[in-house]
Amino acid sequence: MKDVIIACVGKPSAGKSSFLNAVTDATAKVGNYPFTTIKPNNGIAYFPIECPCKRFGKSNLCAPRYGRCIDGKRFVPIQILDVAGLVPGASEGQGLGNQFLDDLRHANALIHVVDVSGTTDANGKETVGYDPIGDIEWLRGEIHSWIYGNLNKKWGQIVRRHIAVKASTAETLHNQFSGYGATLALVQRTLDRSGVKESMDTWEKETIRKVVDAFLDERFPTVIALNKIDLPDSDKNISKIMRKYDQNKIVLSSALAETFLRKLHKQKFVQYEEGTDNVQTKEDLPDSDLKPLDEKLQGRIEKVQDLVLYRYGSTGVQDVVLKAVEVLGLIPAFPVKSLTTFANANGKGVFRDCVLLWSGTTVLEFADIVHPEIAKHYLGAETIGNRKIGEDDEITLENNIICFKTSQATHSASSTSTPSNQVKK
Ligand SMILES: Nc1nc2c(ncn2[C@@H]2O[C@H](COP(=O)(O)OP(=O)(O)O)[C@@H](O)[C@H]2O)c(=O)[nH]1
Ligand SMILES: [Mg+2]
């Protein structure tokens, strides 16, 4: 069981740090989330989901332990890591090459931040008219070379051992890939995806490459954030990239616009609803406590509205995180003590905990994540309408509000323990 970690990657000056700042600087006061700290350059992002409190008329009572809930829009915390140091040749040790690649082992998914404006070259140096389309393949290529290189340099030895111990292909590969955080099941899915069925001792270099390719897809699901959409050349580059790559994995963003709007919101120059195009000023809300704007600031806000908000609907940074959660197939689940009040014994803590689960997590596994004691004394589980659900049933969006029955009182999510966004794969 581990926290979910999404890593921001990309060439220098693509906007990784700006993106991280834009997405982790929550405007509301929030609790300290008990994530394991890996590096100082990580942060917590809050992505919006529909909170069940709305459906059950409990929005005024909803009390998230972490994140917040505004009128049924719940902001769920997730850990984001800013991985610096990827430059061309990283897999051969350029830049912070190995450090960078080692950091990746912690990540469950990647956000590849691409400077789509064409104002920085392959090394992140300022330029004009650079074509960013190659950046997408380049990053994948660096990670591919790193993993392929590590396999290839000891391939003879790997195969000799494979034959000597009569291991299965999945077992032998698992030995090699476990250092990248791969489980045996993930290696099995990799082999299925690659379509490679030949015995390992007959694999050509091409076969190894094919397997590494499938491994990247399984191990590092990636969302592409086309960043700096506020700059003039972005338009033509976006359409070019959209034509070439899976549009389902691409999100448009302006980290700069988001940071700007959040700052103005904090300073009470505007009211800005994150993730929307809704920006209101003193002029729009004369009775509010907003400060009046001077002409210059007014002009800058209008520019952000014209270039980003009205054109794309939002600054896109929240959509990037949401998309990453989507490609990971994470399901939010709510352990509750009561299926009528959704509160704990003293009537407080309505929908207090929201746990992110990998798809395929069973009811009993969920019990164990909420608290091992619940799994140990597990008697059964019910969801809305007091409908019984089996311990081997998978948690889905239809049964994700769950009340566990136990044979003796346990510390549960709604009492003292702190389930983090722990997930099981
Ligand atoms: N116009 C514009 N500039 C941006 C945007 N995001 C980042 N930048 C600028 O790009 C430069 C590099 O950003 P930084 O976040 O340090 O990139 P990193 O090296 O990938 O971490 C900085 O000057 C940022 O202000 C954006 O969305 N629009
Ligand atoms: Mg940076």
Side-chain angles (χ1 to χ4, degrees):
M1 260 183 283
K2 274 175 46 230
D3 294 330
V4 185
I5 297 174
I6 297 171
C8 281
V9 295
K11 72 183 185 187
S13 292
K16 300 178 293 295
S17 302
S18 306
F19 179 83
L20 195 84
N21 286 337
V23 86
T24 58
D25 174 23
T27 47
K29 196 174 154 282
V30 287
N32 256 347
Y33 207 82
F35 286 123
T36 354
T37 306
I38 301 168
K39 292 262 146 128
N41 53 338
N42 64 356
I44 313 290
Y46 295 84
F47 64 95
I49 63 164
E50 210 176 287
C51 186
C53 69
K54 188 141 190 168
R55 201 160 23 114
F56 296 100
K58 301 277 181 198
S59 289
N60 53 338
L61 295 173
C62 191
R65 185 203 294 267
Y66 305 112
R68 60 211 144 101
C69 185
I70 301 165
D71 258 345
K73 197 172 174 186
R74 182 162 182 145
F75 292 84
V76 180
I78 194 159
Q79 207 170 189
I80 309 251
L81 190 67
D82 176 1
V83 186
L86 180 68
V87 296
S91 54
E92 279 121 44
Q94 294 296 314
L96 300 172
N98 288 321
Q99 176 61 42
F100 165 82
L101 295 162
D102 275 349
D103 279 350
L104 282 193
R105 294 171 207 259
H106 298 294
N108 298 104
L110 308 181
I111 292 173
H112 180 185
V113 181
V114 174
D115 176 352
V116 77
S117 70
T119 56
T120 52
D121 68 12
N123 288 294
K125 299 261 164 5
E126 223 171 289
T127 181
V128 281
Y130 175 80
D131 185 350
I133 200 155
D135 289 0
I136 296 173
E137 253 147 62
W138 159 68
L139 180 122
R140 193 180 162 92
E142 286 297 343
I143 305 175
H144 192 286
S145 312
W146 171 54
I147 295 174
Y148 172 81
N150 284 346
L151 270 184
N152 191 48
K153 82 183 162 218
K154 45 183 181 176
W155 189 248
Q157 185 194 335
I158 294 169
V159 171
R160 275 196 302 281
R161 184 171 184 280
H162 174 71
I163 294 167
V165 304
K166 299 192 174 63
S168 70
T169 307
E171 282 163 350
T172 295
L173 276 183
H174 181 228
N175 266 336
Q176 299 306 315
F177 286 162
S178 58
Y180 308 113
T183 59
L184 186 61
L186 190 143
V187 173
Q188 194 57 61
R189 290 201 300 277
T190 296
L191 284 170
D192 293 346
R193 183 189 276 263
S194 74
V196 170
K197 295 196 177 62
E198 302 89 313
S199 148
M200 272 181 111
D201 53 311
T202 69
W203 287 13
E204 309 273 344
K205 284 188 171 12
E206 250 342 281
T207 324
I208 305 175
R209 284 205 179 90
K210 210 153 111 187
V211 171
V212 172
D213 219 33
F215 178 64
L216 291 187
D217 288 334
E218 287 291 338
R219 177 61 189 83
F220 297 113
T222 303
V223 172
I224 297 164
L226 300 183
N227 191 40
K228 308 195 190 181
I229 54 172
D230 52 284
L231 290 176
D233 274 351
S234 295
D235 259 7
K236 69 171 203 292
N237 293 332
I238 290 169
S239 38
K240 220 165 139 188
I241 291 173
M242 286 292 208
R243 277 198 298 274
K244 186 163 171 198
Y245 291 97
D246 180 358
Q247 297 200 12
N248 263 320
K249 302 217 168 122
I250 300 177
V251 187
L252 310 180
S253 73
S254 172
L256 197 69
E258 180 72 11
T259 312
F260 174 64
L261 292 171
R262 286 192 184 199
K263 196 168 126 206
L264 293 188
H265 178 97
K266 235 183 221 166
Q267 298 171 340
K268 293 199 180 282
F269 281 114
V270 302
Q271 223 175 65
Y272 166 56
E273 197 185 331
E274 289 157 28
T276 71
D277 62 357
N278 190 0
V279 179
Q280 288 176 306
T281 62
K282 184 77 178 169
E283 212 170 291
D284 304 312
L285 305 165
D287 297 333
S288 66
D289 62 348
L290 289 176
K291 296 179 198 160
L293 298 168
D294 62 26
E295 223 166 90
K296 196 170 151 217
L297 207 48
Q298 177 80 35
R300 285 179 68 197
I301 294 169
E302 278 164 16
K303 213 168 147 200
V304 167
Q305 287 178 314
D306 288 343
L307 292 175
V308 180
L309 298 183
Y310 297 157
R311 204 182 280 193
Y312 301 106
S314 75
T315 67
V317 297
Q318 268 185 6
D319 299 326
V320 174
V321 181
L322 267 178
K323 183 62 87 178
V325 171
E326 186 188 307
V327 303
L328 280 171
L330 297 174
I331 297 169
F334 302 84
V336 295
K337 279 257 166 118
S338 154
L339 287 165
T340 47
T341 65
F342 310 105
N344 49 25
N346 57 15
K348 296 223 172 97
V350 171
F351 289 118
R352 178 142 115 149
D353 289 297
C354 174
V355 184
L356 291 176
L357 302 173
W358 296 112
S359 74
T361 302
T362 65
V363 170
L364 193 59
E365 284 167 348
F366 180 34
D368 187 59
I369 289 167
V370 174
H371 201 288
E373 287 288 305
I374 299 182
K376 198 166 142 201
H377 304 293
Y378 181 90
L379 284 181
E382 290 179 355
T383 184
I384 300 303
N386 295 94
R387 184 164 61 84
K388 291 202 170 8
I389 41 178
E391 62 178 57
D392 294 328
D393 287 4
E394 289 181 8
I395 312 261
T396 66
L397 291 174
E398 270 67 55
N399 65 6
N400 62 343
I401 303 170
I402 293 184
C403 179
F404 293 110
K405 309 284 171 207
T406 52
S407 57
Q408 61 186 74
T410 54
H411 296 293
S412 78
S414 336
S415 56
T416 54
S417 75
T418 52
S420 60
N421 279 9
Q422 286 175 326
V423 290
K424 210 168 191 172
K425 203 164 197 177

